[in-house]
């Protein structure tokens, strides 16, 4: 399956880290676990011994030389070099030649990546910004995962975690992420512990625990109600959180945090709420949404191809500079939910990337939104989207389910065929901007007032 997704830990001033153990590490952070069995290079030697001369000589000269080097080291070197270490170094060298979105994955790493996009988590459900704009260590919560222990405990985005401990009376003050991570490693699953949070000048304590959960990616609010998805598979639509009193009677708000898991079906459910509630206008919040699967994006784009009379392309793919194909929306639903008097607005920030940017491009090309309907939240004083307009595809390498993920194409907008890779959407395009709020609610209110 084609996938847009990549963790966004690339802001030079702000590092974001998630406390969910199934989240895949970046290729620069991890020590790769490689197979202990002999790889295809080594198998060529076995085939040669067994009489498979054609296999051996079908390898290019460099691969045959590498196999000979490995065999000579095994036979003659005065120290033993473990196969895992040897091949790990080779795979790391291969990854070093690829872009930041590509790389070899062991079977365990691929499974962790797939679980992550499916929303399967083990942790507390918090994503932190660990450095402020001056490079000082902090633990600012930039996202509270839906259906997580942290959401259940009432933790809100924009809070700063400033102390933690096993008991409420034994909190240790710290704003260093590595120290908090080490502390969490001492906590057993389902074991309660305490944290102290600061929002502005107000401090409070919350009780948390680590546990397994499936993340919810879709949230719906009006000025009278608030819904999310909970339960074992995050499929149960439930009243959750506080309404947004500053929304007018004609407007609803949907937050989409990732194109994965049950996001497609969840989005359909909240759009049906939007219709049942008789709402005319929509605020779509894509802040912090780093992307996800193309097929989920195709489902969600179905609601935003304004004026289309059939299933329309929502993204063009350019491979080696040539247009190869255009991906279409799975349906044409704009007219069922919106009228000519409807207004759709989008919220975005520097972590709005990949599939999120492709969706915005689709909405712009079909006229569902204009640049003036987009509000960019500043992050460290900069207002923009991330600027990732390339696609990755994953290829399995064998029965063991290890894989390699490669950047295979550039993503262009469906009609204008514009690419915003490395650039993003910027204020000079005509967007609105808003300063980073003390907390998420304050920022949201400022953004919506800027748009309406």
């Amino acid at each position: 399956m084609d996938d847009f997704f990549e963790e966004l830990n690339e802001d030079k001033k702000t590092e974001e880290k998630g406390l969910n153990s199934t989240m895949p590490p970046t290729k620069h952070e991890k020590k790769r676990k490689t197979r202990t069995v002999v790889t295809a290079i080594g198998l060529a030697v076995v085939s040669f011994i067994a009489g498979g001369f054609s296999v051996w000589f079908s390898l290019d000269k460099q691969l045959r030389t590498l196999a000979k080097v490995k065999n000579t080291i095994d036979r003659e070197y005065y120290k033993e070099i473990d196969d895992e270490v040897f091949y790990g170094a080779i795979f790391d060298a291969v990854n070093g030649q690829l872009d930041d979105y590509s790389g070899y994955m062991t079977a365990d790493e691929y499974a962790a990546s797939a679980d992550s996009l499916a929303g399967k988590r083990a942790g507390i459900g918090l994503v932190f910004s660990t450095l402020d704009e001056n490079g000082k260590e902090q633990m600012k919560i930039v996202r509270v995962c839906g259906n997580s222990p942290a959401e259940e405990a009432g933790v809100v985005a924009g809070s700063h975690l400033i102390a933690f401990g096993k008991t409420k009376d034994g909190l240790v003050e710290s704003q260093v992420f590595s120290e908090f991570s080490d502390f969490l490693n001492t906590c057993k699953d389902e074991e309660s512990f305490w944290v102290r949070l600061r929002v502005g000048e107000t401090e409070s304590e919350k009780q948390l625990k680590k546990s397994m959960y499936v993340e919810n990616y879709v949230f719906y609010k009006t000025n009278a109600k608030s819904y999310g998805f909970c339960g074992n598979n995050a499929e149960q639509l439930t009243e959750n959180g506080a309404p947004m009193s500053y929304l007018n009677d004609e407007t609803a708000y949907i937050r989409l945090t990732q194109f994965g898991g049950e996001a497609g079906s969840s989005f359909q459910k909240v759009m049906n709420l939007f219709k049942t509630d008789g709402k005319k206008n929509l605020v779509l919040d894509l802040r912090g949404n780093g992307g996800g699967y193309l097929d989920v994006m195709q489902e969600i784009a179905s609601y935003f191809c304004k004026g289309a009379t059939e299933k329309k392309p929502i993204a063009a793919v350019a491979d080696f500079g040539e247009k190869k194909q255009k991906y279409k929306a799975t349906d044409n639903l704009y007219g069922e939910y919106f009228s000519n008097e409807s207004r759709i607005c989008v919220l975005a920030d520097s972590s709005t990337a990949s599939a999120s940017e492709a969706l915005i491009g689709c909405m712009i090309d079909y006229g569902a939104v204009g640049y003036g309907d987009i509000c960019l939240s500043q992050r460290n004083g900069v207002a923009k989207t991330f600027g990732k307009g390339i696609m990755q595809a994953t290829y399995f390498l064998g029965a063991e389910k290890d894989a390699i993920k490669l950047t295979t194409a550039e993503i262009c907008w469906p009609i204008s065929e514009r690419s915003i890779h490395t650039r993003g959407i910027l204020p000079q395009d005509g967007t609105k901007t808003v300063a980073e709020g003390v907390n998420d609610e304050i920022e949201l209110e400022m953004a919506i007032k800027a748009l309406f």
Side-chain angles (χ1 to χ4, degrees):
M1 177 180 291
D2 293 316
D3 107 57
F4 289 84
F5 177 79
E6 184 65 24
E7 280 189 283
L8 299 176
N9 290 328
E10 312 212 22
D11 188 324
K12 304 307 181 195
K13 295 180 180 179
T14 304
E15 184 179 8
E16 293 186 4
K17 296 187 178 179
L19 288 173
N20 294 306
S21 63
T22 56
M23 290 294 284
T26 62
K27 72 174 186 176
H28 302 295
E29 294 175 350
K30 62 189 174 184
K31 295 181 179 179
R32 299 197 171 277
K33 298 178 180 178
T34 57
R35 297 171 294 171
T36 56
V37 297
V38 179
T39 62
I41 298 169
L43 285 174
V45 180
V46 176
S47 298
F48 175 72
I49 295 172
F53 295 95
S54 60
V55 175
W56 171 253
F57 286 107
S58 69
L59 299 175
D60 61 35
K61 179 181 178 181
Q62 288 80 7
L63 285 176
R64 296 200 303 270
T65 299
L66 180 59
K68 292 175 183 178
V69 167
K70 176 64 169 63
N71 290 336
T72 304
I73 290 173
D74 288 345
R75 186 177 66 250
E76 304 291 348
Y77 192 57
Y78 79 111
K79 291 182 179 179
E80 181 179 354
I81 298 179
D82 186 79
D83 282 350
E84 200 169 296
V85 174
F86 182 86
Y87 290 114
I90 292 173
F91 287 128
D92 282 343
V94 170
N95 287 345
Q97 298 300 309
L98 304 174
D99 66 16
D100 289 334
Y101 306 102
S102 303
Y104 169 79
M105 295 183 288
T106 66
D108 287 345
E109 290 166 352
Y110 173 76
S113 177
D115 282 349
S116 175
L117 270 175
K120 298 177 182 178
R121 309 286 191 220
I124 60 177
L126 294 177
V127 179
F128 293 91
S129 168
T130 59
L131 296 175
D132 66 16
E133 59 186 0
N134 298 314
K136 185 179 178 181
E137 290 188 289
Q138 65 172 5
M139 282 191 283
K140 181 179 180 180
I141 298 167
V142 296
R143 186 169 134 221
V144 179
C145 298
N147 200 37
S148 69
E151 183 187 56
E152 185 179 352
V155 179
V156 296
S159 307
H160 285 76
L161 196 156
I162 58 174
F164 48 85
K166 293 291 184 73
T167 64
K168 190 174 183 180
D169 296 329
L171 299 180
V172 176
E173 293 188 0
S174 173
Q175 297 186 58
V176 179
F177 177 83
S178 60
E179 293 178 359
F180 182 50
S181 182
D182 289 343
F183 165 75
L184 282 181
N185 288 334
T186 70
C187 299
K188 299 177 182 179
D189 290 347
E190 305 298 331
E191 177 186 359
S192 295
F193 61 91
W194 289 84
V195 297
R196 180 178 296 136
L197 304 172
R198 185 182 69 237
V199 180
E201 301 299 322
T202 303
E203 296 184 1
S204 63
E205 284 78 34
K206 299 286 187 183
Q207 192 173 25
L208 295 175
K209 63 180 179 180
K210 297 190 299 184
S211 65
M212 300 292 296
Y213 66 97
V214 174
E215 183 176 357
N216 164 46
Y217 296 134
V218 180
F219 305 83
Y220 174 86
K221 293 176 182 284
T222 68
N223 57 10
K225 61 178 67 173
S226 177
Y227 285 91
F229 291 85
C230 65
N232 293 335
N233 293 309
E235 293 178 326
Q236 182 180 342
L237 185 62
T238 307
E239 290 193 47
N240 182 16
M244 296 169 65
S245 59
Y246 42 88
L247 288 176
N248 63 47
D249 291 338
E250 297 181 323
T251 303
Y253 164 94
I254 297 176
R255 184 160 196 173
L256 176 64
T257 61
Q258 191 167 295
F259 294 80
E262 299 298 322
S265 60
S266 297
F267 200 87
Q268 180 185 36
K269 291 175 183 176
V270 297
M271 285 302 298
N272 288 338
L273 265 182
F274 174 88
K275 188 175 183 178
T276 300
D277 289 341
K279 300 302 180 183
K280 182 174 74 173
N281 306 317
L282 177 66
V283 177
L284 178 63
D285 189 350
L286 297 175
R287 294 173 305 156
N289 187 326
Y293 285 130
L294 173 61
D295 57 354
V296 178
M297 187 264 199
Q298 289 174 282
E299 289 182 65
I300 293 172
S302 299
Y303 298 90
F304 301 112
C305 296
K306 183 178 181 181
T309 57
E310 58 185 14
K311 299 177 184 178
K312 288 291 187 178
I314 47 84
V317 176
D319 190 1
F320 303 109
E322 298 180 1
K323 298 292 181 294
K324 291 189 66 176
Q325 59 182 313
K326 290 190 175 183
Y327 290 93
K328 292 186 176 181
T330 57
D331 209 332
N332 177 33
L333 302 172
Y334 182 92
E336 293 185 25
Y337 295 89
F338 301 105
S339 69
N340 290 333
E341 289 74 39
S342 294
R343 185 174 179 210
I344 302 172
C345 296
V346 177
L347 308 183
D349 63 12
S350 59
S351 291
T352 300
S354 199
S356 293
E357 292 173 296
L359 178 62
I360 295 172
C362 171
M363 296 168 78
I364 290 174
D365 270 8
Y366 284 102
V369 302
Y371 285 108
D373 300 315
I374 299 170
C375 186
L376 301 173
S377 293
Q378 292 185 6
R379 299 289 181 254
N380 297 322
V382 177
K384 67 185 295 289
T385 63
F386 185 81
K388 180 175 183 281
I390 49 179
M391 174 185 286
Q392 284 71 49
T394 299
Y395 303 91
F396 292 114
L397 302 176
E400 294 181 35
K401 296 296 185 180
D402 57 339
I404 187 165
K405 182 169 71 171
L406 296 175
T407 297
T408 57
E410 184 176 18
I411 304 300
C412 302
W413 293 0
I415 299 174
S416 64
E417 296 190 348
R418 181 186 181 193
S419 171
I420 59 168
H421 187 56
T422 73
R423 178 189 186 273
I425 296 170
L426 303 172
Q428 48 261 49
D429 293 322
T431 71
K432 306 287 196 305
T433 62
V434 66
E436 187 169 5
V438 173
N439 60 45
D440 191 56
E441 279 304 313
I442 290 176
E443 184 177 304
L444 262 177
E445 186 170 1
M446 291 190 301
I448 289 172
K449 286 181 177 178
L451 288 163
F452 288 92

